Amino acid sequence: MSEVLLVSHAPSPHTRQMTEAVLRGARHPDINGVEIRWLPPLEAQAQDVLACQAIILGTTENFGYMSGAMKDFFDRIYYPCLDHTDALPWALFVRAGNDGSGTRSGIERIVSGLNWKAVQAPLMCVGDWREEFIDDCEELGMTLAAGLEAGIF
Protein backbone atom coordinates (compact mmCIF):
# COMPACT_ATOMS: atom_id res chain seq x y z
CA MET A 1 0.00 0.00 0.00
CA SER A 2 1.43 3.39 -1.01
CA GLU A 3 1.08 6.35 1.32
CA VAL A 4 0.49 9.98 0.44
CA LEU A 5 1.32 12.37 3.25
CA LEU A 6 -0.69 15.57 3.35
CA VAL A 7 1.02 18.30 5.37
CA SER A 8 -1.45 21.16 5.46
CA HIS A 9 -1.78 24.27 7.59
CA ALA A 10 -5.53 24.79 7.98
CA PRO A 11 -6.13 27.59 10.49
CA SER A 12 -9.49 28.72 9.08
CA PRO A 13 -12.75 27.04 8.03
CA HIS A 14 -11.96 27.65 4.35
CA THR A 15 -8.47 26.17 4.47
CA ARG A 16 -9.87 23.24 6.46
CA GLN A 17 -12.42 22.68 3.65
CA MET A 18 -9.59 22.73 1.13
CA THR A 19 -7.62 20.17 3.14
CA GLU A 20 -10.69 17.95 3.45
CA ALA A 21 -11.24 18.22 -0.32
CA VAL A 22 -7.68 17.01 -0.99
CA LEU A 23 -8.31 14.08 1.35
CA ARG A 24 -11.62 13.29 -0.35
CA GLY A 25 -10.02 13.36 -3.79
CA ALA A 26 -7.19 11.04 -2.77
CA ARG A 27 -9.74 8.65 -1.24
CA HIS A 28 -11.84 8.44 -4.40
CA PRO A 29 -13.51 5.01 -4.51
CA ASP A 30 -11.86 4.17 -7.85
CA ILE A 31 -8.38 4.54 -6.32
CA ASN A 32 -7.12 1.43 -4.55
CA GLY A 33 -3.75 0.73 -3.06
CA VAL A 34 -3.15 4.30 -1.89
CA GLU A 35 -3.75 5.69 1.56
CA ILE A 36 -3.56 9.36 2.50
CA ARG A 37 -2.70 10.67 5.93
CA TRP A 38 -3.07 14.29 7.03
CA LEU A 39 -0.79 15.94 9.57
CA PRO A 40 -0.63 19.61 10.49
CA PRO A 41 2.88 20.99 9.85
CA LEU A 42 3.65 21.37 13.54
CA GLU A 43 2.96 17.65 14.07
CA ALA A 44 4.63 16.22 10.96
CA GLN A 45 8.10 14.78 11.49
CA ALA A 46 10.95 13.71 9.24
CA GLN A 47 10.06 10.03 9.76
CA ASP A 48 6.59 10.76 8.32
CA VAL A 49 8.18 12.15 5.16
CA LEU A 50 10.68 9.30 4.96
CA ALA A 51 7.84 6.75 5.17
CA CYS A 52 5.61 8.19 2.44
CA GLN A 53 5.72 7.63 -1.31
CA ALA A 54 4.32 11.10 -2.19
CA ILE A 55 3.55 14.34 -0.37
CA ILE A 56 1.01 17.12 -0.76
CA LEU A 57 1.75 20.44 0.90
CA GLY A 58 -0.90 23.01 1.74
CA THR A 59 -0.41 26.42 3.28
CA THR A 60 -1.85 29.84 3.65
CA GLU A 61 -0.01 32.89 2.38
CA ASN A 62 1.11 34.82 5.44
CA PHE A 63 2.75 38.20 4.88
CA GLY A 64 3.69 37.15 1.35
CA TYR A 65 5.28 33.86 2.43
CA MET A 66 4.32 30.36 3.59
CA SER A 67 2.84 30.02 7.05
CA GLY A 68 5.25 29.94 9.96
CA ALA A 69 4.03 26.43 10.75
CA MET A 70 5.00 25.24 7.25
CA LYS A 71 8.40 26.93 7.51
CA ASP A 72 8.93 25.21 10.88
CA PHE A 73 8.07 21.87 9.22
CA PHE A 74 10.73 22.41 6.56
CA ASP A 75 13.28 23.56 9.13
CA ARG A 76 12.82 20.30 11.07
CA ILE A 77 12.70 17.83 8.18
CA TYR A 78 15.18 19.31 5.70
CA TYR A 79 18.47 17.75 6.79
CA PRO A 80 17.04 14.40 7.98
CA CYS A 81 15.33 14.03 4.57
CA LEU A 82 18.14 15.43 2.42
CA ASP A 83 19.55 12.68 0.15
CA HIS A 84 16.91 10.23 1.45
CA THR A 85 13.81 11.50 -0.38
CA ASP A 86 15.20 12.24 -3.85
CA ALA A 87 12.49 12.37 -6.53
CA LEU A 88 9.66 12.25 -3.95
CA PRO A 89 6.51 13.19 -5.89
CA TRP A 90 5.00 16.36 -4.47
CA ALA A 91 2.16 18.80 -5.07
CA LEU A 92 1.20 22.10 -3.48
CA PHE A 93 -1.91 24.14 -2.84
CA VAL A 94 -1.79 27.71 -1.54
CA ARG A 95 -4.63 29.82 -0.17
CA ALA A 96 -3.50 33.36 -0.91
CA GLY A 97 -5.11 36.71 -0.32
CA ASN A 98 -2.53 38.45 -2.49
CA ASP A 99 -0.84 36.59 -5.34
CA GLY A 100 0.89 33.73 -3.50
CA SER A 101 4.09 34.17 -5.48
CA GLY A 102 6.35 34.53 -2.43
CA THR A 103 4.80 31.44 -0.86
CA ARG A 104 5.18 29.43 -4.04
CA SER A 105 8.77 30.45 -4.72
CA GLY A 106 9.84 29.86 -1.11
CA ILE A 107 8.45 26.33 -1.09
CA GLU A 108 9.80 25.58 -4.57
CA ARG A 109 13.30 26.62 -3.47
CA ILE A 110 13.18 24.32 -0.45
CA VAL A 111 11.83 21.26 -2.30
CA SER A 112 14.31 21.89 -5.10
CA GLY A 113 17.07 21.51 -2.52
CA LEU A 114 15.46 18.25 -1.40
CA ASN A 115 15.34 17.16 -5.05
CA TRP A 116 11.62 16.38 -4.92
CA LYS A 117 9.70 15.93 -8.19
CA ALA A 118 6.66 18.16 -8.83
CA VAL A 119 3.75 16.22 -10.29
CA GLN A 120 1.84 19.31 -11.38
CA ALA A 121 2.03 23.08 -11.20
CA PRO A 122 1.14 24.46 -7.75
CA LEU A 123 -2.56 25.10 -7.22
CA MET A 124 -2.86 28.78 -6.38
CA CYS A 125 -6.22 29.67 -4.80
CA VAL A 126 -5.93 33.45 -4.93
CA GLY A 127 -8.23 36.30 -3.97
CA ASP A 128 -11.73 36.23 -2.56
CA TRP A 129 -13.05 32.84 -1.51
CA ARG A 130 -14.60 30.81 -4.33
CA GLU A 131 -16.27 27.42 -4.12
CA GLU A 132 -14.24 26.16 -7.09
CA PHE A 133 -11.21 26.12 -4.78
CA ILE A 134 -12.80 23.03 -3.21
CA ASP A 135 -13.19 21.27 -6.57
CA ASP A 136 -9.63 22.16 -7.55
CA CYS A 137 -8.26 20.77 -4.28
CA GLU A 138 -10.26 17.57 -4.66
CA GLU A 139 -8.87 17.15 -8.16
CA LEU A 140 -5.33 17.72 -6.89
CA GLY A 141 -5.70 14.93 -4.31
CA MET A 142 -7.26 12.59 -6.84
CA THR A 143 -4.61 13.30 -9.49
CA LEU A 144 -1.68 12.62 -7.18
CA ALA A 145 -3.20 9.46 -5.67
CA ALA A 146 -4.27 8.06 -9.05
CA GLY A 147 -0.86 8.79 -10.56
CA LEU A 148 0.87 7.10 -7.64
CA GLU A 149 -1.41 4.08 -7.93
CA ALA A 150 -0.77 3.84 -11.70
CA GLY A 151 2.99 4.07 -11.21
CA ILE A 152 3.23 7.35 -13.11
CA PHE A 153 4.88 9.06 -10.16
Side-chain angles (χ1 to χ4, degrees):
M1 180 80 57
S2 296
E3 179 181 297
V4 175
L5 177 63
L6 170 59
V7 178
S8 173
H9 182 64
S12 69
H14 285 152
T15 53
R16 181 60 189 227
Q17 288 176 326
M18 294 169 70
T19 296
E20 290 169 354
V22 170
L23 292 167
R24 193 169 44 254
R27 293 177 177 147
H28 190 279
D30 291 340
I31 300 171
N32 301 302
V34 175
E35 293 180 349
I36 186 165
R37 183 166 61 114
W38 172 62
L39 289 172
L42 294 175
E43 294 177 24
Q45 302 295 321
Q47 62 264 26
D48 299 309
V49 178
L50 293 165
C52 74
Q53 286 70 54
I55 189 166
I56 300 173
L57 305 168
T59 186
T60 52
E61 173 189 62
N62 291 14
F63 307 109
Y65 198 62
M66 72 186 87
S67 71
M70 186 62 72
K71 178 63 170 71
D72 174 79
F73 163 74
F74 282 124
D75 287 344
R76 289 181 292 104
I77 67 100
Y78 189 86
Y79 287 107
C81 291
L82 187 63
D83 299 326
H84 300 287
T85 56
D86 283 354
L88 182 69
W90 75 282
L92 169 67
F93 67 96
V94 176
R95 175 65 186 113
N98 293 315
D99 66 2
S101 62
T103 303
R104 177 182 179 165
S105 67
I107 290 175
E108 287 177 333
R109 277 192 302 269
I110 293 168
V111 299
S112 174
L114 289 165
N115 200 30
W116 292 357
K117 178 184 169 188
V119 300
Q120 70 178 58
L123 173 59
M124 306 302 290
C125 301
V126 178
D128 292 335
W129 176 255
R130 297 189 306 276
E131 286 299 317
E132 61 258 23
F133 294 163
I134 299 299
D135 295 336
D136 294 342
C137 286
E138 190 167 337
E139 185 177 320
L140 182 146
M142 189 182 322
T143 299
L144 192 138
L148 187 61
E149 177 185 45
I152 296 169
F153 313 128

